[in-house]
Amino acid sequence: MVREHGFASARLGSPLPVRQLLQFGSLLGTPQPETDPAVLPFTEERVVLNLRSVRKRTADPALQPFARDALALHSEGSGRGVAQQPRYIVLMCRAPGGAAAAQTVLVPMAEVASRLDREERRLLTATVYRAGTPPPVLRYEEERPVFSFRDFMGQRLRWRYTPEPARAREPEPEPERVNAALRRLLAAMYTTRASGVRWEAGLLVVVDNRRFFHGRTAAPASGVGLRHLQRLRVL
């Protein structure tokens, strides 16, 4: 189902032990190790990340998965090369945190792309993050739009324009045209109809990182229990 629709879920009744979760992930591909020193204390077997809502608010992107505030829409690993970006994200709920706890939010990339005009899509296929060697913000795989992009919120997004060789002789667009296309992308991400995952203990969800943006709603600063998900990224 996940290969056809980009999403699958199963109610297991009770959470899987870590070893079984790893075995499940291996059926989809290769579990990806967590390498960020900031999150290593939250990991098991170096690949399973425990997402516990232990912080109220934080501006540190590395620690936002452990907070109760909203998590902006993004594709996982958007600053990495294609080979290092996970194909699938596996999430399993160990404790939902109560009815008012945060929900995971999914937004289909194809619908976001459909809200952009042809020129905006063309500009985004030649725009990349300035740091590292990531793919363009927008690329196509099997004629399907794939975004490598996150909402940086209050942080500055630094980009560079790198057209394909066949377009290298085209005049480089004014920076404001690219900025406008990025703003339109952000607007499309947040105006496209989203789906929310209401967590319960033992619920297992698999998301195709090339077909959905994901994020998280905010939870009240107090009055709800500790939400605990486990995340496995699969190459």
Side-chain angles (χ1 to χ4, degrees):
M1 180 179 290
V2 69
R3 289 188 170 91
E4 181 179 357
H5 301 292
F7 174 85
S9 66
R11 288 181 170 86
L12 305 178
S14 60
L16 295 175
V18 168
R19 288 290 183 179
Q20 291 185 21
L21 181 61
L22 286 172
Q23 290 173 358
F24 173 78
S26 296
L27 297 175
L28 296 170
T30 302
Q32 183 178 28
E34 298 287 345
T35 58
D36 189 335
V39 307
L40 289 180
F42 300 91
T43 62
E44 296 183 53
E45 304 291 335
R46 291 189 65 86
V47 292
V48 176
L49 184 64
N50 286 293
L51 301 171
R52 297 186 180 95
S53 53
V54 295
R55 294 172 176 268
K56 292 182 179 180
R57 307 283 179 186
T58 178
D60 185 345
L63 297 178
Q64 284 177 347
F66 312 104
R68 295 192 178 195
D69 49 352
L71 187 63
L73 291 173
H74 62 286
S75 64
E76 196 72 25
S78 63
R80 303 180 180 186
V82 172
Q84 286 75 49
Q85 293 184 11
R87 177 61 188 266
Y88 298 110
I89 302 163
V90 181
L91 295 168
M92 185 181 67
C93 180
R94 303 201 73 87
Q103 296 182 42
T104 297
V105 177
L106 304 175
V107 175
M109 292 183 178
E111 292 189 28
V112 171
S114 72
R115 291 173 175 262
L116 305 175
D117 64 31
R118 181 177 179 180
E119 176 64 8
E120 290 162 346
R121 292 193 297 268
R122 187 186 72 83
L123 290 171
L124 295 177
T125 60
T127 302
V128 301
Y129 293 172
R130 185 176 297 179
T133 57
V137 169
L138 172 61
R139 67 186 190 276
Y140 289 86
E141 295 185 2
E142 299 177 352
E143 300 184 352
R144 181 182 295 125
V146 178
F147 289 95
S148 291
F149 187 71
R150 71 175 302 117
D151 176 4
F152 283 84
M153 300 184 71
Q155 296 181 324
R156 186 174 182 179
L157 168 59
R158 299 181 182 275
W159 55 264
R160 52 193 169 91
Y161 192 76
T162 56
E164 296 178 354
R167 294 166 50 187
R169 293 186 178 182
E170 296 178 6
E172 187 167 327
E174 292 292 328
E176 180 50 34
R177 289 177 57 201
V178 177
N179 286 334
L182 290 167
R183 287 194 295 268
R184 285 278 296 123
L185 170 57
L186 286 165
M189 289 164 61
Y190 287 97
T191 55
T192 296
R193 183 178 178 84
S195 300
V197 178
R198 291 188 176 274
W199 291 104
E200 58 187 67
L203 178 61
L204 180 76
V205 167
V206 183
V207 180
D208 189 333
N209 191 45
R210 299 183 186 179
R211 296 180 67 173
F212 286 92
F213 291 105
H214 66 282
R216 182 188 64 219
T217 62
S222 61
V224 296
L226 179 72
R227 191 184 82 149
H228 181 190
L229 305 182
Q230 289 183 310
R231 185 191 75 186
L232 181 63
R233 299 189 296 191
V234 180
L235 296 170

